[in-house]
Amino acid sequence: MTKPRMMFFHDGRHPHIYMYEPPMQKEEYAAAIDELSGTTIDAVMFCLGEGRTMLHDTQVGELWGHNVDKWPHLIWRRTYQNAKGLIEEGNDPLRVVCDRAHEKGMLLYPTLLVQVGSDERWGDRATWVRCSDFRFENKHLEIQAKGGVDSSFPGFDGLDFMHDEVREERFAIVEEVVTNYPVDGFELHMGQLPYYFHPDEVDAGRPVLTEWIGRVYDAVHRSGPNRELAVRVPANLDECMAVGMDVRGWIDDGIVDVIIGDGAVGDTMNQLADFSGLVEAAKGTDCRVHASLQHRVDSDRVGDATIEMIRAAAGNYWAQGIEGIYISRGWFYNYPYDASFYEKIREIPQPDVMAPKDKYYRVPTLGDGPKPESGPGSVMQLPATLEVGAPTSIDFIINDDLPRWDAVGRVYEVLLRIRITDTTELDRLAFELNGEVLPDSALRIINQMFWMNGPRRTAQGYWFVFTLDRDSWPRQGDNTLQITLLERDPDVTPPVVVQDVELETKYLMGKNFRRGYEDPALGQFEGKMGGNW
C-alpha cells in the first residue's frame, strides 16, 4: 500500500449527515468521498460518530440516539434518522464510505474520538442525546469520581483509563471496525480532550496507556495486510508526556505508524506550529510524522484562511521535515466546497509550487488573553503589552527564500503590518526587524481607532504598515521583530498593546510580469482575454 501523504479529516457530521433530509440516500452518504475525488487527498480519515455513540451498524458500541424518546435537538434527531435508515435498508454508512473511497482510488481510515466528556441524562444541555448508556451508567469510571479534582480541570468528566472497563470499551470499538470493515488503517484522535488520568495518577497511568496503544496497534495489523495505526496528539512532546501520553516511547516501541501533530491555537490556524520534536523523535524509525493544518483564522478581517495563508502555513510545516499534511477539522467551514477550496488542496502537497507565490503570515493572537511565553512556535506571544523604554520581541518564521526569487525578478512587494491598540498620535514607537531599524520613510500609519462599520468585528487601534526594501527583508527561517515604546501620551491610562503582527510576501509570475489581471500600475481593464491590451 502506498503510504498516504495527504490525509483529510472528515467528521462525518457537519458537512454531511446533518445536511440531508431523511431518509438519506446511499449516494448522498457517498458524497463525503465524491467531494474529494480527483484531488490530492490520498486518505480520508472518517470520524465514527461523536466518540461516545456511533453512526454505523455497531454491535459492541451504541448507535447515536438509540436511547432517546423525545428529541430536544432537531438536527441531532435527523442524524439518528439518517444513520438508522441507512442501516435498516442494508447500507451500513461506514461500509458505504469504505467502498466508495476504494472505487475512487482513496484510502479510508476510520477515526475514533478517544476521549469525550460526559453528560447527564435529561440534562439541561441538549448534548445528552449524543451520549451513550455506557457513559450515563458508569459515572464511577470518570476521572472526577476519585475526588480531589476541581471542576475546572478540562478532563474532569472524561473517562479514567486506569479502569479496565474503560480501556475494554474503547478497544472493542476499534477491534470491531478493523475486523468487520474494509478499512486501510485506523486513527485514534487523542487530542480532542487529551486527559486520560486523575492528575495524581499520570505517572502510574503512562505505561497503562502505552500498553493500550500497543494492543490497538496489534489489532489493526492483525486484521489485514498493509494496515496502519495513525494517532493524533498535541505537537508538543512535553505536553503529551505531562498528561500520560508517552509519544516518544510509542515511536521507539514501534506501536504507531503515523503520528499526527496538532499545533493549532484552539480551533484556529497556527503558522508557527513546531513539529520539530516529533520529527526528531521519529528520525531513524518507521514512524511518519504528519502536521495537522487548520483552516480557521477568525480575525476581525478574515474568517477562513486565504490561499496565501494556507501556503504560508504549509510551507513552514514542510520545511520542518514532516512527511505529510493532515487536513484538519476546521476545513468543513468551506462546505459546500468551491473552486478556492480545491485550489488550496491542489497546492498544499507541493512546497516547490508554492515557493514563488504570495503568502500571508500571521503571528497567532488570543485577543485579550494573558501574555504567555514567547518564542517561535509559541501559540501565545500576542497580545503583548508595551512598557516605556522596554523593547518587546515577537518571533516568527517564514519559509520564503526572497533573495533567490529576487535574483530572477520575481519579488513584487514585502509588507510588514503591526496593529497596536490603545496608542495615540502622540506616542512614539520604534521598530526593528532582525536588529535593523525600520525607517519612517517605509512606514504608512492607518488610524483605525474608531469604526462606524467594521469588517466582521469592530477592532480598534493603529496599523503600522512597512513596505520593506531589500535591506530590510525578513530572512528564511527565524525572524525577530522588536518594538519599543519610546514615549507615552501622558494623558491616557490604558496600556499600549501589540495585538497583531502580519507579513505578506508578494510575487510576480515572471520577470517584469504584470501583477495579476488588475495591476495597480495599469488600472482596470476588461477580462482575461485582452481587453485594453
Side-chain angles (χ1 to χ4, degrees), residues 67-80:
N67 49 7
V68 179
D69 294 322
K70 298 293 183 180
W71 289 84
H73 196 295
L74 301 188
I75 293 173
W76 293 341
R77 173 177 179 258
R78 167 184 284 189
T79 303
Y80 167 73

Side-chain angles (χ1 to χ4, degrees), residues 159-184:
L159 290 168
D160 185 344
F161 271 63
M162 289 297 281
H163 295 290
D164 293 342
E165 302 98 312
V166 168
R167 301 193 304 278
E168 288 299 324
E169 188 270 347
R170 299 281 81 185
F171 176 78
I173 293 168
V174 179
E175 185 178 46
E176 177 187 53
V177 167
V178 299
T179 300
N180 297 339
Y181 292 86
V183 301
D184 300 291

Side-chain angles (χ1 to χ4, degrees), residues 148-367:
V149 183
D150 191 273
S151 60
S152 63
F153 174 61
F156 181 80
D157 60 351
L159 290 168
D160 185 344
F161 271 63
M162 289 297 281
H163 295 290
D164 293 342
E165 302 98 312
V166 168
R167 301 193 304 278
E168 288 299 324
E169 188 270 347
R170 299 281 81 185
F171 176 78
I173 293 168
V174 179
E175 185 178 46
E176 177 187 53
V177 167
V178 299
T179 300
N180 297 339
Y181 292 86
V183 301
D184 300 291
F186 198 93
E187 179 192 3
L188 297 174
H189 186 347
M190 306 285 289
Q192 174 161 299
L193 188 65
Y195 303 92
Y196 296 90
F197 303 103
H198 189 285
D200 294 339
E201 296 183 339
V202 171
D203 289 341
R206 204 172 287 120
V208 173
L209 189 58
T210 295
E211 187 275 335
W212 184 81
I213 295 290
R215 188 179 176 201
V216 171
Y217 175 87
D218 289 342
V220 171
H221 281 264
R222 281 199 314 269
S223 67
N226 298 318
R227 292 181 173 182
E228 59 180 11
L229 176 63
V231 182
R232 181 174 170 182
V233 297
N236 187 297
L237 284 169
D238 292 336
E239 290 178 5
C240 291
M241 197 72 169
V243 294
M245 293 188 285
D246 183 7
V247 176
R248 186 179 282 106
W250 303 347
I251 294 171
D252 291 342
D253 292 347
I255 57 174
V256 288
D257 299 296
V258 185
I259 286 289
I260 300 154
D262 190 350
V265 182
D267 215 17
T268 59
M269 173 186 289
N270 177 16
Q271 295 170 332
L272 303 187
D274 184 2
F275 304 99
S276 61
L278 293 175
V279 171
E280 184 62 29
K283 191 174 296 183
T285 75
D286 293 330
C287 180
R288 309 190 312 280
V289 173
H290 281 224
S292 176
L293 177 58
Q294 292 284 350
H295 195 270
R296 292 291 287 167
V297 175
D298 205 26
S299 76
D300 61 317
R301 291 157 297 141
V302 181
D304 294 316
T306 65
I307 191 169
E308 294 84 4
M309 292 174 172
I310 295 294
R311 289 175 188 144
N316 277 353
Y317 296 176
W318 286 118
Q320 296 179 53
I322 61 166
E323 296 181 70
I325 293 282
Y326 180 101
I327 304 301
S328 196
R329 179 175 180 269
W331 284 73
F332 67 60
Y333 289 105
N334 287 272
Y335 188 87
Y337 306 135
D338 60 13
S340 66
F341 169 86
Y342 293 107
E343 184 180 18
K344 294 167 186 174
I345 295 294
R346 181 184 72 83
E347 289 193 13
I348 286 170
Q350 306 181 80
D352 55 336
V353 170
M354 294 186 290
K357 292 190 175 184
D358 294 3
K359 299 177 194 69
Y360 186 143
Y361 297 90
R362 296 183 71 250
V363 176
T365 181
L366 294 184

